[in-house]
Amino acid sequence: MTTETADRGQWKTRAGFILAAAGSAVGLGNIWKFPYITGENGGGLFVLIYLICIALVGIPIMMGEIMIGRAARKQPVAAFHALAGKKSAWAGVGWLGVLAGFVILSYYIVVAGWAMDFTLKSIANFTEPIHDRAEQVATNYRATASIDDMRTLLVERETERELREPLRQLQAQVRPSDWKGYERYTTALGAAGAPDLYRAEILHETYGEEVSAGMQLVLSDADSQLIATWGLLGVGEDEQAQASQELYESTRSRLLEDAKLRPQIEASEAILAQIEERTREARLAVLAVYPLVEVGAAEREAQEIFIRDKATTLVRRNEIFDSVDSAFTQVATDGWTSVFWAALFMLVTIIIVAAGIGSGIERACRLLMPMLFALILIMVVYGAFTSGFAEAVSFVFKPDPHNLKASGVLEALGHAFFTLSLGMGAMITYGSYQATKERLVSQSVTIAVLDTGIALLACLMIFPITFSYGQEPDAGPGLVFKSMPLAFAEIGKGGMLLAILFFGLVVFAALTSAISLLEVVASYFIDQWNWNRKKAAWLFGGVIFLFGVPSAFSMDPNFAMPGWAPSFGKNFFDTMDYLASNWMLPMGGLLIAIYAGWFMPKKMRAAELADAPSALVMGWLVLIRFIAPVLVIIVLAQKVGILDADELLHGLFG
Ligand code: TRP
């Protein structure tokens, strides 16, 4: 036996492949990303479309990848060499995959590291002091704030919430490009009062190329006015308000002087007027909920108690939110801490991959996957007893056509690739370790069902808690690191246990995925260069970790690479994620679909699908030859900017 076959290895049991592949698929994508993009895209309908993408694009490409791996019994580069010929350009797809594995793993370990940090924090019971301090602040507030202040606070906050739906509707009515213009306009106006360095940056970022000579004038002009405003700091509030109003007005009129910007700005101001109108309506509605009128002492007292209770809860919640928010910001902006945890996480990943397919990866997944499943079930059962459960279920499963934009559909498709670990040959690699060939269709469907099931369960674990504690579902990437700890802190005593379970679960899920990413890179050196497994895992684990250091530091103000963000428009971390998820995976997936559908030798395809009914094979061929490539090309066109799906649909249906 040569070292090559010895180090290649294979799954020990029939379930080994399924467990490992599901372990690869179930990861941060399911627990961290899917809930927050579902939240941002309005729930139900997005989920439905995501399920359709999994079925029409995900499963067929998954079958394609596993098929290639099983037929060649080699990792992606070697597999394309073996199937398409030594000189074939298809090996480039394998190369792209190795590169993508390298890139994704480098920032994946940073997020996984944060989850480790939060697991440790949870063991140290970090939410309890936050809970206690908030109680104190709230008690203080209750004792000292006036009833009018309390009412104002409530009305402001509730108006904001009340406005969400009308604003969403308004946004659906106006042209998407006008809405973008409106957002840029308010940013630009907001920048009027900012110190000049920031203002220049904000204006450049929002208007970019369109910053013309007129804009330059605004900059210098606003400067002198700003200085004048600062001179007013010693004077009363009224004068200050007037000065900033003037600043705002002059910025506006300067922007209007620019012929190119003028139509945009007029559209933006029409939108602004509508928003003001709706804000007025919302405020009136909210004021009616918190009446405070002289109507006999008893009723007045009831009104005051109502307001006092509500306001105190709000203040407590805000206090918790601030603490939790800063707990996360502290970790994310502390480069060395992030590096430390990323290193630890990478170490565990390397040890498992170095131990081999059967006794490393398979064993780890056999242990971790059932634990992960149990933990998530416990959390969902807990969620089922909270007050927000019904709202969460309807948010996740009730399609609401108002809430989804065309770009959301494309995001669903893009995410289908990431969450199923497709597009970079991870499934080719794992498929190549199968000793016996089980039914390809049912293997692929099982993996996809497990992955999708966990993603839906993750929503049913997170949203009941967010809704129960007055949080919004669209908190973005911070959902897992901020909204969840917030809820744990609200719960008080039992919160610690839930926090440990939750973050432990995130770490496990990330680990079984990270393993597969490293395996794709390591197996290249094992299969192609005859390296021994330990050397490949340790060397490339180390190199990828080093490559991840800038990602860990990308949010640290002291170390962040100062030249990066201005030239790429995103920090290092986001650039890597963007490159991999938006480009490498869809490109890789497209090429794999084309190869499996059109170029793979018919006989090999038939051999892999020998046990499948011919109708199923036909269906698969249609999906992988036509449907999947076309959909992926549409996604890519949107990314390049050839196509603006939101604008197009608005144009078609008004
Ligand atoms: N699927 C994993 C997740 O959802 C991430 C992942 C692991 C992955 N291996 C991959 C993504 C290979 C793309 C390709 O978190």
Side-chain angles (χ1 to χ4, degrees):
M1 205 188 257
T2 65
T3 36
E4 184 197 317
T5 37
D7 274 331
R8 221 179 176 265
Q10 58 188 26
W11 307 117
K12 284 183 177 156
T13 61
R14 294 163 95 200
F17 167 71
I18 297 281
L19 269 172
S24 167
V26 175
L28 295 172
N30 303 61
I31 298 173
W32 168 65
K33 196 162 182 196
F34 183 64
Y36 92 71
I37 58 177
T38 297
E40 285 179 337
N41 285 292
L45 187 58
F46 177 81
V47 172
L48 185 67
I49 287 171
Y50 163 81
L51 294 178
I52 295 172
C53 292
I54 295 280
L56 292 189
V57 181
I59 293 178
I61 295 184
M62 168 95 67
M63 284 172 62
E65 282 207 23
I66 300 176
M67 177 183 276
I68 293 171
R70 292 201 333 188
R73 293 182 170 258
K74 296 227 158 30
Q75 71 80 45
V77 177
F80 281 108
H81 278 319
L83 298 183
K86 208 73 203 125
K87 295 227 170 67
S88 161
W90 285 108
V93 181
W95 269 108
L96 189 68
V98 174
L99 196 66
F102 197 99
V103 171
I104 297 176
L105 188 53
S106 78
Y107 68 83
Y108 206 81
I109 57 173
V110 176
V111 183
W114 293 337
M116 279 179 117
D117 187 353
F118 269 73
T119 312
L120 188 77
K121 274 194 173 65
S122 306
I123 293 173
N125 202 1
F126 81 117
T127 51
E128 196 173 294
I130 293 178
H131 173 89
D132 294 347
R133 190 159 358 99
E135 281 296 336
Q136 215 167 30
V137 170
T139 315
N140 250 345
Y141 177 81
R142 193 187 184 98
T144 53
S146 78
I147 192 77
D148 285 327
D149 285 351
M150 288 181 167
R151 188 179 188 224
T152 312
L153 181 79
L154 279 175
V155 169
E156 283 310 310
R157 157 75 188 219
E158 294 281 306
T159 304
E160 246 172 60
R161 299 193 68 178
E162 197 69 19
L163 260 174
R164 290 162 108 45
E165 197 42 42
L167 285 191
R168 205 174 274 152
Q169 281 169 9
L170 182 64
Q171 187 178 356
Q173 284 162 18
V174 304
R175 270 182 45 192
S177 58
D178 282 348
W179 189 268
K180 260 182 227 145
Y182 145 75
E183 282 173 343
R184 300 201 306 177
Y185 182 54
T186 47
T187 314
L189 285 184
D196 57 349
L197 191 73
Y198 285 119
R199 189 175 54 249
E201 213 171 273
I202 295 170
L203 289 177
H204 184 73
E205 258 174 34
T206 40
Y207 281 106
E209 300 286 292
E210 291 168 67
V211 181
S212 58
M215 289 288 276
Q216 297 304 331
L217 265 179
V218 178
L219 296 186
S220 53
D221 205 47
D223 254 349
S224 50
Q225 290 195 40
L226 188 67
I227 291 165
T229 325
W230 281 345
L232 288 174
L233 280 184
V235 301
E237 272 180 28
D238 287 348
E239 282 93 336
Q240 271 187 52
Q242 202 195 339
S244 57
Q245 182 65 26
E246 276 164 17
L247 196 60
Y248 185 94
E249 289 293 335
S250 83
T251 306
R252 174 178 176 273
S253 61
R254 287 308 192 134
L255 287 172
L256 279 171
E257 273 168 29
D258 190 317
K260 261 203 277 173
L261 293 182
R262 194 180 179 106
Q264 268 192 45
I265 289 175
E266 278 163 357
S268 302
E269 295 201 326
I271 295 177
L272 261 177
Q274 293 237 38
I275 291 179
E276 269 164 28
E277 176 60 31
R278 276 159 218 235
T279 309
R280 245 193 315 277
E281 283 165 14
R283 177 164 290 119
L284 278 179
V286 171
L287 277 170
V289 180
Y290 299 105
L292 200 54
V293 284
E294 301 298 343
V295 278
E299 271 160 76
R300 167 82 184 192
E301 192 175 324
Q303 289 172 350
E304 288 194 4
I305 290 177
F306 180 63
I307 290 176
R308 206 161 266 138
D309 286 348
K310 284 265 186 181
T312 310
T313 305
L314 183 58
V315 165
R316 193 190 63 225
R317 208 158 268 170
N318 285 346
E319 176 65 26
I320 294 182
F321 182 83
D322 289 344
S323 311
V324 169
D325 189 79
S326 76
F328 177 65
T329 310
Q330 240 171 34
V331 180
T333 57
D334 178 352
W336 286 117
T337 303
S338 299
V339 163
F340 169 78
W341 289 109
L344 199 61
F345 183 82
M346 189 53 131
L347 205 66
V348 181
T349 309
I350 294 173
I351 289 172
I352 295 172
V353 171
I357 300 305
S359 25
I361 300 179
E362 183 174 346
R363 222 169 51 187
C365 292
R366 186 173 293 281
L367 178 76
L368 293 174
M369 292 305 285
M371 287 207 320
L372 184 139
F373 197 63
L375 291 181
I376 208 165
L377 281 184
I378 295 175
M379 295 288 296
V380 172
V381 169
Y382 172 83
F385 288 102
T386 62
S387 59
F389 190 67
E391 194 181 348
V393 171
S394 108
F395 181 73
V396 176
F397 292 111
K398 204 171 127 214
D400 173 0
H402 294 304
N403 278 344
L404 190 67
K405 292 191 293 182
S407 54
V409 177
L410 302 184
E411 186 164 13
L413 184 58
H415 184 67
F417 274 98
F418 188 84
T419 191
L420 290 177
S421 300
L422 297 179
M424 54 155 278
M427 293 298 161
I428 297 183
T429 311
Y430 273 14
S432 75
Y433 300 127
Q434 294 191 61
T436 56
K437 297 188 176 181
E438 305 296 324
R439 293 207 313 260
L440 180 65
V441 181
S442 77
Q443 279 189 333
S444 309
V445 171
T446 308
I447 297 165
V449 166
L450 285 172
D451 183 73
T452 309
I454 299 274
L456 294 176
L457 283 176
C459 285
L460 288 184
M461 142 176 93
I462 291 175
F463 289 128
I465 296 188
T466 41
F467 286 132
S468 298
Y469 294 101
Q471 293 297 294
E472 298 301 334
D474 56 354
L479 187 67
V480 156
F481 290 105
K482 294 179 189 169
S483 301
M484 291 302 278
L486 180 138
F488 301 142
E490 284 267 13
I491 293 165
K493 286 266 177 282
M496 171 186 173
L497 190 64
L498 286 176
I500 298 173
L501 291 181
F502 177 75
F503 286 110
L505 178 149
V506 179
V507 173
F508 291 164
L511 189 57
T512 53
S513 298
I515 292 169
S516 75
L517 289 160
L518 182 56
E519 177 63 23
V520 171
V521 179
S523 65
Y524 168 73
F525 293 90
I526 297 169
D527 278 1
Q528 282 292 82
W529 297 62
N530 276 341
W531 279 26
N532 107 356
R533 172 168 283 280
K534 286 206 167 50
K535 176 172 153 194
W538 280 98
L539 186 68
F540 279 89
V543 172
I544 293 170
F545 162 71
L546 288 180
F547 190 64
V549 170
S551 282
F553 271 106
S554 62
M555 277 154 251
D556 186 326
N558 297 318
F559 293 87
M561 288 169 290
W564 192 277
S567 32
F568 293 94
K570 313 179 157 38
N571 66 30
F572 191 84
F573 180 105
D574 293 334
T575 312
M576 293 303 116
D577 182 29
Y578 174 77
L579 272 181
S581 331
N582 288 354
W583 291 101
M584 295 170 139
L585 297 184
M587 279 289 246
L590 176 65
L591 293 170
I592 288 170
I594 292 174
Y595 180 79
W598 297 94
F599 291 91
M600 191 169 176
K602 258 208 196 81
K603 271 210 202 100
M604 280 188 194
R605 217 161 43 205
E608 295 301 325
L609 285 168
D611 48 26
S614 60
L616 211 61
V617 177
M618 279 306 292
W620 173 73
L621 265 181
V622 171
L623 289 173
I624 198 145
R625 285 192 162 172
F626 305 103
I627 312 285
V630 167
L631 290 177
V632 177
I633 286 172
I634 293 176
V635 171
L636 285 170
Q638 160 102 3
K639 308 267 186 215
V640 192
I642 304 176
L643 174 85
D644 185 337
D646 294 338
E647 196 74 14
L648 191 72
L649 275 196
H650 190 86
L652 287 178
F653 303 113

